Amino acid sequence: MAARPVVEVRGLWKSFGDKEALRGVDLKLHDGETLVVLGPSGCGKSVLLKHVIGLMEPDRGSIIVEGRDLSGLSQAELNEIRQKFGMVFQGAALFDSMTVGDNVALPLREHRGMKGERLSALVEEKLELVGLKGISSLRPAELSGGMKKRVALARAIALDPDIILYDEPTTGLDPVMAEQINELIRSTQRKLNASSIVVTHDLHSACFTGDMVALMDEGRIAFYGTTDELTTTENEAVRNFIARGHPAATGAPGGSGAGPACADDPFA
Ligand SMILES: Nc1ncnc2c1ncn2[C@@H]1O[C@H](COP(=O)(O)OP(=O)(O)OP(=O)(O)O)[C@@H](O)[C@H]1O
Ligand SMILES: [Mg+2]
């Protein structure tokens, strides 16, 4: 792993009115690594990602991307940094009025000024990477939940990002579909050699996709370690998170979630 992190979050605080969403988050993403951010609903995961990509401004603290502090950058500089990122938003966030192909083409048109045959070929290539060849003329309404997440990933990798951010990539999918997305995250990582942050509350997804894991609890990082350490730690927040029995934590609807953290870890 490289010495300098690709993304560094330092002492990040953010409130909305009386609600303190982030209360001093420190976190590092290293080159080529997949960092999973786990945590219960409402603990601040999405807000954290939005700061990393510069969509929200900190009340206090800083975000440093490839050595550059985002605060104090001009809008043009921020736009340039944002192109290093691909983001798969929670719920896919596709444009329903556009075809699948136009959704994937959007960043290429906007940021690279691409059009015509070259654009269509590249869109098809990106769709093929996520296992969806030949569907570019369909509309999002014609796709399953898992297919929508794949299209969102194809759009996120359109500009060959250095860093990919995934917000709840498996939420709302059945276990088979969720597993396909987990595998896609891993294979995309290998093919693009990107660094990734995967936000999830799904423990199995965390173990399958992650190198490092951070557990967020009430706006703070309560645990940071490897997926192996997640299994063995006595950290109270981790034990509580597992014991609380998020159905998704076992990969099975209604599961107890109360086993060893990474019992179904493919590397165990
Ligand atoms: N734009 C906003 N305006 C006001 N409050 C917000 C805003 N965005 C987030 N919050 C609040 O900040 C807290 C953290 O929200 P966040 O969306 O980061 O949670 P999360 O961990 O992503 O949850 P989930 O797992 O349900 O997606 C919540 O209390 C939420 O209501
Ligand atoms: Mg969220």
Side-chain angles (χ1 to χ4, degrees):
M1 299 286 167
R4 191 178 79 179
V6 183
V7 175
E8 187 172 357
V9 176
R10 287 191 198 151
L12 181 58
W13 286 75
K14 181 72 173 183
S15 295
F16 300 100
D18 295 344
K19 170 79 196 170
E20 288 182 324
L22 300 179
R23 302 189 300 141
V25 172
D26 292 290
L27 206 55
K28 289 178 184 171
L29 171 70
H30 295 98
D31 193 18
E33 175 180 277
T34 299
L35 167 68
V36 169
V37 178
L38 270 176
S41 191
C43 71
K45 305 182 297 295
S46 294
V47 170
L48 172 63
L49 280 194
K50 285 174 191 163
H51 279 85
V52 168
I53 201 172
L55 288 175
M56 280 183 177
E57 275 186 48
D59 293 341
R60 262 189 284 161
S62 47
I63 314 290
I64 294 142
V65 177
E66 295 183 350
R68 297 183 75 188
D69 192 329
L70 296 192
S71 61
L73 293 188
S74 68
Q75 198 55 46
E77 288 170 321
L78 202 53
N79 285 342
E80 190 189 313
I81 293 238
R82 271 202 203 122
Q83 288 181 46
K84 294 179 185 296
F85 288 95
M87 175 133 180
V88 181
F89 285 95
Q90 192 162 2
L94 299 177
F95 293 100
D96 289 331
S97 60
M98 292 183 189
T99 64
V100 164
D102 284 339
N103 266 282
V104 178
L106 201 62
L108 294 161
R109 281 203 175 100
E110 209 166 287
H111 298 294
R112 299 271 191 277
M114 287 180 73
K115 51 191 176 193
E117 288 283 300
R118 222 172 120 235
L119 176 62
S120 317
L122 199 52
V123 165
E124 205 48 46
E125 187 187 303
K126 299 297 171 188
L127 283 168
E128 196 171 347
L129 261 178
V130 300
L132 289 179
K133 209 170 168 225
I135 66 147
S136 58
S137 62
L138 297 182
R139 307 245 166 209
E142 297 172 84
L143 308 179
S144 71
M147 287 166 90
K148 281 185 196 162
K149 301 237 180 186
R150 280 167 186 263
V151 174
L153 178 55
R155 183 177 62 184
I157 60 176
L159 297 174
D160 299 321
D162 296 338
I163 308 156
I164 310 176
L165 308 180
Y166 299 87
D167 198 351
E168 302 277 2
T170 60
T171 300
L173 303 180
D174 69 47
V176 174
M177 204 62 107
E179 204 54 17
Q180 286 177 6
I181 296 291
N182 286 335
E183 275 162 18
L184 191 57
I185 292 172
R186 291 251 312 254
S187 65
T188 304
Q189 177 72 14
R190 275 198 305 272
K191 281 180 202 156
L192 302 188
N193 203 21
S195 314
S196 309
I197 302 179
V198 179
V199 158
T200 184
H201 57 262
D202 178 338
L203 210 40
H204 171 68
S205 180
C207 291
F208 192 87
T209 59
D211 301 307
M212 299 304 291
V213 182
L215 176 76
M216 276 186 82
D217 194 25
E218 297 184 356
R220 287 207 171 96
I221 303 295
F223 168 85
Y224 174 78
T226 63
T227 46
D228 283 347
E229 284 161 355
L230 187 74
T231 313
T232 52
T233 183
E234 292 301 318
N235 180 296
E236 211 179 313
V238 172
R239 301 332 300 172
N240 285 341
F241 179 73
I242 294 165
R244 245 179 261 143
H246 297 270
T250 59
S256 74
C262 284
D264 49 0
D265 181 0
F267 309 115

Coordinates of all heavy atoms in Angstrom, one line a residue, residues 16 19 21 39-48 50 56 90 167-168 201, ligand 1:
F16 N -26.9 19.4 10.8 CA -28.0 19.9 10.1 C -29.0 20.4 11.2 O -29.6 19.6 11.9 CB -28.7 18.9 9.2 CG -27.8 18.3 8.2 CD1 -27.2 17.0 8.4 CD2 -27.6 18.9 7.0 CE1 -26.4 16.5 7.4 CE2 -26.7 18.4 6.0 CZ -26.1 17.1 6.2
K19 N -29.1 18.6 14.6 CA -28.6 17.2 14.4 C -27.2 17.2 14.0 O -26.8 17.7 12.9 CB -29.5 16.6 13.3 CG -29.0 15.2 12.7 CD -29.4 14.1 13.7 CE -28.5 12.9 13.4 NZ -28.7 11.8 14.4
A21 N -24.6 15.2 12.4 CA -24.6 14.0 11.6 C -23.2 13.4 11.6 O -23.0 12.2 11.7 CB -24.9 14.4 10.1
G39 N -22.4 0.6 9.0 CA -23.0 1.3 10.1 C -24.5 1.3 10.0 O -25.0 1.2 8.9
P40 N -25.2 1.5 11.1 CA -26.7 1.5 11.0 C -27.2 2.7 10.3 O -26.5 3.7 10.1 CB -27.1 1.5 12.5 CG -25.9 2.1 13.2 CD -24.7 1.7 12.4
S41 N -28.5 2.6 9.9 CA -29.2 3.7 9.2 C -29.1 5.0 10.0 O -29.3 5.0 11.2 CB -30.7 3.2 9.0 OG -31.3 4.1 8.1
G42 N -28.8 6.0 9.3 CA -28.8 7.4 10.0 C -27.5 7.7 10.7 O -27.4 8.8 11.3
C43 N -26.5 6.8 10.6 CA -25.2 7.1 11.4 C -24.3 8.1 10.6 O -23.3 8.5 11.2 CB -24.5 5.8 11.7 SG -23.7 5.1 10.3
G44 N -24.7 8.4 9.4 CA -23.9 9.5 8.7 C -23.1 9.0 7.5 O -22.2 9.7 7.0
K45 N -23.3 7.8 7.0 CA -22.5 7.2 5.9 C -22.6 8.0 4.6 O -21.6 8.3 4.0 CB -22.9 5.7 5.7 CG -22.9 4.9 6.9 CD -23.2 3.4 6.7 CE -24.7 3.2 6.2 NZ -25.7 3.5 7.2
S46 N -23.9 8.3 4.2 CA -24.1 9.0 3.0 C -23.5 10.4 3.1 O -22.9 10.9 2.1 CB -25.5 9.0 2.6 OG -26.0 7.7 2.3
V47 N -23.7 11.0 4.2 CA -23.2 12.4 4.4 C -21.7 12.4 4.3 O -21.1 13.3 3.7 CB -23.7 13.0 5.8 CG1 -22.9 14.3 6.1 CG2 -25.2 13.2 5.8
L48 N -21.0 11.4 4.8 CA -19.6 11.2 4.7 C -19.2 11.2 3.3 O -18.3 11.9 2.8 CB -19.1 10.0 5.5 CG -17.6 9.6 5.3 CD1 -16.7 10.7 5.9 CD2 -17.3 8.3 6.0
K50 N -20.7 12.2 0.6 CA -21.0 13.4 -0.1 C -19.9 14.5 0.2 O -19.6 15.3 -0.6 CB -22.4 14.0 0.3 CG -23.5 13.2 -0.4 CD -24.9 13.6 0.0 CE -25.9 12.6 -0.5 NZ -27.2 12.8 0.2
M56 N -20.8 18.2 -0.3 CA -21.2 18.9 0.9 C -19.9 19.6 1.5 O -18.8 19.0 1.3 CB -21.7 18.0 1.9 CG -23.2 17.6 1.7 SD -23.8 16.6 3.0 CE -25.5 16.4 2.6
Q90 N -26.9 5.9 -3.7 CA -27.9 5.1 -3.0 C -29.2 5.1 -3.9 O -29.6 6.2 -4.3 CB -28.1 5.7 -1.6 CG -28.9 4.8 -0.7 CD -28.8 5.2 0.8 OE1 -28.1 6.2 1.1 NE2 -29.4 4.4 1.6
D167 N -22.6 3.8 -2.7 CA -23.5 4.0 -1.5 C -24.6 2.9 -1.5 O -25.5 2.9 -2.3 CB -24.1 5.4 -1.5 CG -24.7 5.8 -0.2 OD1 -24.7 5.0 0.7 OD2 -25.0 7.0 0.0
E168 N -24.5 2.0 -0.6 CA -25.4 0.9 -0.4 C -25.7 0.1 -1.7 O -26.8 0.0 -2.2 CB -26.8 1.4 0.1 CG -26.7 2.2 1.4 CD -26.7 1.3 2.7 OE1 -26.7 0.0 2.5 OE2 -26.6 1.8 3.8
H201 N -24.7 -1.5 5.1 CA -24.9 -2.0 6.4 C -25.0 -3.6 6.3 O -25.4 -4.2 7.2 CB -26.2 -1.4 7.0 CG -27.4 -1.6 6.2 ND1 -27.9 -0.7 5.4 CD2 -28.2 -2.7 6.1 CE1 -29.0 -1.1 4.8 NE2 -29.2 -2.4 5.1
Ligands
LIG1 N1 -29.4 17.3 3.5 C1 -29.8 17.0 4.8 N2 -30.5 17.8 5.5 C2 -30.8 17.6 6.8 N3 -30.4 16.4 7.5 C3 -29.7 15.6 6.8 C4 -29.3 15.8 5.4 N4 -28.6 14.7 5.0 C5 -28.6 13.9 6.0 N5 -29.2 14.4 7.1 C6 -29.3 13.7 8.5 O1 -28.0 13.3 8.8 C7 -28.0 12.0 9.4 C8 -27.1 11.1 8.7 O2 -27.7 10.8 7.4 P1 -27.1 9.8 6.3 O3 -27.9 10.0 5.1 O4 -25.7 10.1 6.2 O5 -27.3 8.4 7.0 P2 -26.9 7.0 6.5 O6 -25.9 6.4 7.5 O7 -26.5 7.1 5.1 O8 -28.3 6.2 6.6 P3 -28.9 5.0 5.6 O9 -28.2 3.8 6.0 O10 -30.3 5.0 6.0 O11 -28.7 5.5 4.2 C9 -29.5 11.6 9.5 O12 -30.0 12.0 10.7 C10 -30.1 12.5 8.4 O13 -31.5 12.7 8.7

